[in-house]
Amino acid sequence: MSDSNGIVLRMENITKTFPGVVALDNVSIDLYKGEVLGILGENGAGKSTLIKILAGNYIKDSGDIFIDGQKFEIKGPAEAMSSGIRVIYQELNTINNLTVAENIFIGEQLVKGPLKIIDWKGMNKKAEELLAVMNVKLDPNAIIGDLTVSEKQIVEIAKAISQEAKILVMDEPTAALSEEETQSLFKIIQALKTKGVAIIYISHRLKEIFEITDRVTVLRDGKKVGTLKTKESDSNKLVEMMVGRDIKDMYPKRHVPIGGVVMEVNNLGAEGFDNISFKLRKGEILGIFGLLGSGRSSLVKALFGANKIKNGEIIVNGKKLRIKSPGMARDAKIGLVPLDRKIEGLALMMGVKENITLANIKELGKSFLIARNQERRKAGNWVDEIGIRTPSVEQEVNSLSGGNQQKVVLAKWLESGSQIIILNEPTRGVDVGAKIEIYKLMQDLCEKGSSIIMISSELPEILSIADRIIVMSKGRFTEEYKICDASEEGLLRSACL
Amino acid sequence: MEKAVKKYSGFLSFLRTPTPTLIGIYIVMMLLFSLTSDKFLTIQNIKGIYNNFAVFGILAAGVTVVMIGGGFDLAIGSTAGLAGIVSSVLLMKGIEVATPWVFLIAIAIGCTVGLINGLIITKVGINPIITTLGTLAIFRGVCYFWADLNPRVYNVFVQNFGRIYLGNVFPITTLYIIIAFVALTLILKFTRFGRDLFTIGGNETLARLAGIPVDRIKILSYVISGFFCSVAGLLLISQLGSGRPEYGTGAELEVLTIVVLGGVVVGGGRGNYLGVFIALIIIQTITNGMVLLNVPVFLRMVVKGALLVLVIAIDAFRNKRHLQLY
């Protein structure tokens, strides 16, 4: 970490804009040989954009990148890789029906002989060696589809270091890992460090940042707030840098009286989870916490009729329902703000107005014609009521910011009269200001008598906003917490049971 | 961050489509043809151009609906051929089914083919390109069942259906196209069916999660396409005076070229009939101009193919910044 080790990577004054958004604004970082640099920031702070520029997935608008002191234009992923940059993304990029060894050597298969025939034996042997470096026992001939999430991740790391990796970027690598698996990942990182690999470690879990990084750079709203030596910082300081305000203002929570049971789920089972039971009360925000692969998203889809229910029952307002399609869920006044709003929540090419009315278009006018004036008025009302910032209701949602897009998705269900609103990671990819607005909005809805199921993997968020939290792990229910008994450690422990 | 980028909206949104590029090319071509051929700018010739594109225009009307919903229909040529040959057989001397029945049967055939395509695509879940590639071959095969009959069309109403000129200048087929395009424009803009169709084409996952009856709407879009195939089939036998099993062969390529040049996005969610209409006129004008200039057939095809790629490339280039977001 001392300067004498030399700088492997320097990104200088990097700027990147998307239509309507400055994703990165003059951000600079240095990375030394054999160090772990943490990059910390809220969702939407620009961490991913920075990494994608480094990996050649995005082209920067301006700024310079130096590798080993040489100015280097990264024009695409192949160039980034050839200069020793390897990225392990949060979403795993393994191919499920290939073996461990095949996955490790995708695109870089070992060959032998003049005909360049694939050297299976050599590949399996090399794979075994790579896994041994990381102290992992995995059969190179195992099919990836049969492995656990954390094992898949290990394969990803092996793939990244199979070629000489100079700079290794890990984007939220522990999102799907249990405590133990995280510890073994840290051992691997230590081993790579001693080999001189420079590592960029992206996370929003402070505990891990303190445990594994040497220095930490904090980003906020696309700007660099500062870089600190990890040893010389503490969590309060980092949080303050990250959110730019006091933590109490970040998660406003007010008291909403909680009424009777509106939804009861008994022994519900479908693909991805089984035997889940819970009750949801009027005016309540029920949090569901779980790691990647815990079945929380499958549960949500089943509640909404998008996944086939195998067993169990759903009772809404005392009536037993068989929800077989999203249309039936909508008619039962259930709304879903999905995990990926661009894929499941919005028609990006359409306007704000069309997006708000599309789930309830049959109520607009009695005939098969759309009552366009009524539509414009209704959409306009929602825009005002929940504060969607848009030049007009005709504006394409594509050009709105993440927070406003999320509000459009929510408005769609409000327009359909939803009383039970399921939000899957409601503040993902939303800037800090809009986050606070969404929290306030959720509580406004509860005050008006709606009930909310919120899935979140952000611990501070779920701990501050939910009234009650149930924890899932590997498709099962593990624990229920009243908010006064819940803690970060407790939730994480239950999530790994 | 709230400052949204708003370039073209409302009527001007057509500036975002390939249409402006196409109009530019059209002007250049018009100048070129009228300077090099004295026959080009005659009423006789222009009448001909408009009457010749009737079949393609009617087919484009239906395909546009399917494509806005994110679908694809390669079976249009075969379906039109089938409706045409069956109608001409029914009109043959000795059979002579009443004209209204012939029209009804032809329309029933087209709609049934559309229904079959739609059901296979939605309920069985086969990719629309594969499905309609299959039905393209199947129904073309069926056409050849009547290959030996060589039915000529003597029915005067059917003869006139695709041939008369209003006031001796304006082809009635162009009126059909305008009626179809205007009606469909209104349907797409003002009905729930139209809105749902655009939603499905824009994001089918979302449409399903919003409780929109996706399958029903998609099936209906293929039935609409089938309906226009029937009309095109009747136009074919009217204009050509007989029913032949090969009528309509290759029409799908010509029509898809027109529709895509007209700014209908492959994959769905975007498209309008103004663009399709302009593309229709331009493609036909260029074809006609090249015929008058005695451009050899091979070169005509090369020019048309190159035009498609060129216009779409210019479009992609102009919208590059717009697309980079994803």
Side-chain angles (χ1 to χ4, degrees):
Chain A
M1 283 114 282
S2 64
D3 287 326
S4 61
N5 274 339
I7 295 171
V8 186
L9 169 76
R10 159 171 274 167
M11 294 176 86
E12 224 171 64
N13 301 324
I14 305 290
T15 296
K16 173 78 189 171
T17 54
F18 294 114
V21 190
V22 182
L24 281 178
D25 185 4
N26 265 312
V27 171
S28 305
I29 59 167
D30 292 329
L31 181 66
Y32 295 87
K33 195 176 176 199
E35 84 160 337
V36 180
L37 172 70
I39 295 187
L40 194 62
E42 288 279 318
N43 287 329
K47 293 173 296 188
S48 303
T49 311
L50 189 69
I51 292 322
K52 284 186 176 154
I53 286 171
L54 185 59
N57 290 347
Y58 288 158
I59 306 296
K60 60 185 165 34
D61 295 344
S62 63
D64 297 308
I65 297 173
F66 299 90
I67 291 175
D68 291 332
Q70 297 278 317
K71 193 166 166 187
F72 192 76
E73 284 295 324
I74 299 175
K75 293 199 192 81
E79 276 167 318
M81 285 174 82
S82 68
S83 56
I85 299 166
R86 300 283 150 150
V87 181
I88 301 167
Y89 293 101
Q90 193 180 348
E91 307 85 33
L92 298 170
N93 290 313
T94 46
I95 299 176
N96 274 337
N97 38 21
L98 297 185
T99 67
V100 168
E102 282 173 305
N103 265 286
I104 292 176
F105 295 103
I106 280 172
E108 300 160 327
Q109 288 89 347
L110 302 182
V111 288
K112 63 179 178 187
L115 291 176
K116 303 215 184 262
I117 293 164
I118 290 185
D119 179 7
W120 289 104
K121 246 191 203 159
M123 252 162 63
N124 284 346
K125 199 163 151 255
K126 183 103 187 283
E128 227 162 294
E129 284 167 19
L130 282 166
L131 294 166
V133 171
M134 298 189 287
N135 290 321
V136 191
K137 277 212 163 61
L138 258 183
D139 180 4
N141 280 313
I143 301 290
I144 290 282
D146 299 336
L147 304 184
T148 65
V149 178
S150 57
E151 284 170 331
K152 285 181 191 170
Q153 192 149 31
I154 287 163
V155 174
E156 287 260 34
I157 297 170
K159 185 165 109 190
I161 61 174
S162 68
Q163 306 292 309
E164 285 303 293
K166 217 183 301 172
I167 299 161
L168 183 62
V169 182
M170 296 183 173
D171 189 0
E172 304 261 2
T174 56
L177 301 191
S178 71
E179 188 61 35
E180 268 166 52
E181 289 164 335
T182 304
Q183 285 310 322
S184 56
L185 174 71
F186 285 176
K187 279 194 196 120
I188 295 169
I189 293 178
Q190 290 295 353
L192 294 172
K193 244 178 95 165
T194 50
K195 285 180 70 189
V197 179
I199 295 166
I200 295 179
Y201 187 94
I202 296 174
S203 180
H204 56 237
R205 291 196 186 150
L206 284 172
K207 196 166 151 265
E208 291 170 10
I209 294 282
F210 284 113
E211 211 173 321
I212 194 69
T213 66
D214 300 305
R215 288 185 312 139
V216 54
T217 293
V218 182
L219 300 181
R220 182 174 75 224
D221 296 339
K223 294 193 184 72
K224 177 169 152 180
V225 185
T227 301
L228 299 174
K229 287 212 165 111
T230 311
K231 273 185 219 136
E232 293 165 10
S233 67
D234 60 66
S235 61
N236 280 343
K237 176 137 184 84
L238 288 181
V239 169
E240 212 184 284
M241 286 168 76
M242 229 161 87
V243 300
R245 66 190 85 196
D246 206 325
I247 192 115
K248 272 205 207 74
D249 303 331
M250 182 63 211
Y251 302 104
K253 176 72 182 172
R254 58 179 183 266
H255 180 73
V256 177
I258 289 173
V261 173
V262 291
M263 185 191 215
E264 193 177 334
V265 170
N266 292 322
N267 307 314
L268 199 69
E271 201 179 318
F273 70 92
D274 201 13
N275 211 7
I276 300 285
S277 304
F278 64 82
K279 289 188 175 77
L280 177 68
R281 294 183 176 80
K282 193 172 174 165
E284 182 181 42
I285 299 178
L286 173 67
I288 298 182
F289 181 76
L291 303 175
L292 216 70
S294 62
R296 51 196 183 163
S297 291
S298 310
L299 170 66
V300 165
K301 284 199 169 156
L303 288 178
F304 194 65
N307 276 5
K308 209 171 162 193
I309 293 168
K310 283 189 192 134
N311 45 44
E313 56 179 12
I314 301 173
I315 301 168
V316 176
N317 291 323
K319 261 211 307 250
K320 199 176 153 184
L321 290 182
R322 295 181 56 82
I323 299 175
K324 284 190 208 146
S325 71
M328 292 170 83
R330 173 195 63 200
D331 294 340
K333 305 292 177 207
I334 301 173
L336 169 68
V337 178
L339 180 62
D340 191 331
R341 62 179 163 269
K342 288 191 175 167
I343 294 173
E344 302 181 315
L346 296 165
L348 290 168
M349 293 190 281
M350 293 173 95
V352 170
K353 175 185 73 179
E354 286 85 354
N355 270 284
I356 290 178
T357 56
L358 63 82
N360 201 36
I361 204 139
K362 65 177 189 303
E363 298 297 321
L364 278 174
K366 290 279 172 280
S367 67
F368 59 91
L369 294 176
I370 299 169
R372 292 170 73 84
N373 288 330
Q374 198 188 343
E375 178 182 34
R376 199 169 295 116
R377 201 178 58 240
K378 279 188 168 180
N381 287 346
W382 287 118
V383 165
D384 294 340
E385 186 157 342
I386 64 177
I388 301 169
R389 272 186 291 277
T390 171
S392 80
V393 292
E394 319 285 343
Q395 181 74 27
E396 257 180 46
V397 290
N398 201 2
S399 59
L400 300 185
S401 69
N404 283 306
Q405 287 183 345
Q406 197 69 314
K407 286 186 201 167
V408 171
V409 181
L410 196 56
K412 170 175 73 190
W413 295 116
L414 298 176
E415 170 60 29
S416 307
S418 300
Q419 290 295 310
I420 297 167
I421 297 169
I422 308 169
L423 299 116
N424 197 351
E425 304 281 0
T427 60
R428 194 193 241 202
V430 161
D431 65 78
V432 181
K435 263 187 177 182
I436 298 172
E437 280 184 59
I438 287 173
Y439 298 140
K440 284 185 177 151
L441 191 56
M442 285 165 65
Q443 295 173 67
D444 288 347
L445 294 175
C446 287
E447 257 173 7
K448 286 181 193 146
S450 298
S451 309
I452 287 176
I453 298 174
M454 173 175 80
I455 286 140
S456 175
S457 53
E458 272 187 60
L459 284 162
E461 169 177 291
I462 200 164
L463 285 165
S464 312
I465 302 300
D467 296 306
R468 199 153 51 89
I469 300 170
I470 61 173
V471 184
M472 289 176 72
S473 171
K474 297 178 192 120
R476 292 171 298 117
F477 164 86
T478 54
E479 200 93 50
E480 175 172 335
Y481 289 91
K482 280 186 206 137
I483 201 67
C484 50
D485 303 331
S487 66
E488 289 204 15
E489 289 74 25
L491 289 184
L492 275 173
R493 205 179 327 105
S494 307
C496 299
L497 280 177
Chain B
M1 196 158 289
E2 306 300 341
K3 213 182 81 200
V5 192
K6 190 181 179 183
K7 273 189 181 159
Y8 315 114
S9 68
F11 182 72
L12 285 179
S13 66
F14 108 104
L15 288 177
R16 231 169 16 189
T17 68
T19 315
T21 315
L22 215 50
I23 292 174
I25 290 175
Y26 180 59
I27 294 169
V28 174
M29 288 294 196
M30 283 291 273
L31 282 173
L32 192 73
F33 291 144
S34 50
L35 289 177
T36 46
S37 164
D38 49 2
K39 288 189 213 105
F40 183 76
L41 270 185
T42 59
I43 288 185
Q44 197 56 38
N45 186 46
I46 290 172
K47 264 166 72 177
I49 293 178
Y50 278 73
N51 205 30
N52 281 342
F53 67 48
V55 171
F56 295 142
I58 289 293
L59 290 173
V63 170
T64 301
V65 173
V66 170
M67 284 183 61
I68 285 175
F72 218 76
D73 195 348
L74 289 174
I76 47 174
S78 306
T79 314
L82 182 65
I85 192 155
V86 171
S87 306
S88 60
V89 169
L90 293 173
L91 289 165
M92 265 169 70
K93 279 217 156 60
I95 302 178
E96 286 169 294
V97 175
T99 317
W101 281 108
V102 173
F103 274 70
L104 278 179
I105 291 167
I107 286 167
I109 289 171
C111 292
T112 308
V113 172
L115 185 67
I116 293 170
N117 284 335
L119 285 172
I120 296 174
I121 289 161
T122 57
K123 301 298 179 190
V124 186
I126 299 178
N127 176 298
I129 297 181
I130 308 291
T131 305
T132 56
L133 190 62
T135 50
L136 177 153
I138 292 171
F139 294 113
R140 179 60 67 200
V142 175
C143 288
Y144 279 90
F145 180 79
W146 294 280
D148 299 331
L149 285 179
N150 195 19
R152 305 196 66 80
V153 176
Y154 296 106
N155 181 308
V156 179
F157 183 82
V158 174
Q159 279 178 354
N160 285 339
F161 176 64
R163 281 200 234 175
I164 51 173
Y165 291 83
L166 300 174
N168 219 13
V169 247
F170 191 78
I172 194 159
T173 51
T174 304
L175 186 66
Y176 300 156
I177 292 173
I178 291 173
I179 291 172
F181 279 23
V182 169
L184 285 168
T185 299
L186 296 176
I187 287 172
L188 292 184
K189 198 168 172 67
F190 293 104
T191 68
R192 294 204 308 256
F193 163 75
R195 181 67 63 77
D196 286 348
L197 192 72
F198 271 101
T199 308
I200 292 167
N203 187 343
E204 191 174 326
T205 313
L206 158 86
R208 286 188 192 280
L209 285 177
I212 291 171
V214 173
D215 289 355
R216 213 186 308 158
I217 304 270
K218 281 175 111 175
I219 291 170
L220 184 54
S221 75
Y222 285 97
V223 172
I224 291 174
S225 179
F227 168 81
F228 284 103
C229 292
S230 313
V231 179
L234 290 164
L235 287 176
L236 275 169
I237 59 167
S238 166
Q239 295 190 331
L240 299 168
S242 68
R244 298 279 314 147
E246 71 273 14
Y247 283 176
T249 303
E252 58 281 344
L253 294 181
E254 190 89 5
V255 171
L256 285 172
T257 306
I258 289 165
V259 169
V260 171
L261 283 178
V264 177
V265 173
V266 179
R270 200 163 258 171
N272 68 80
Y273 279 98
L274 182 62
V276 175
F277 192 67
I278 292 172
L280 178 68
I281 294 175
I282 290 171
I283 288 286
Q284 293 305 313
T285 307
I286 290 172
T287 309
N288 171 269
M290 288 192 294
V291 173
L292 293 181
L293 290 180
N294 286 324
V295 176
V297 178
F298 83 91
L299 200 54
R300 274 187 250 157
M301 292 180 71
V302 170
V303 168
K304 257 194 269 183
L307 189 72
L308 175 69
V309 177
L310 179 76
V311 172
I312 297 304
I314 292 172
D315 185 48
F317 182 74
R318 287 198 313 147
N319 288 322
K320 202 168 183 184
R321 205 166 295 137
H322 191 72
L323 293 171
Q324 213 179 25
L325 189 64
Y326 318 109

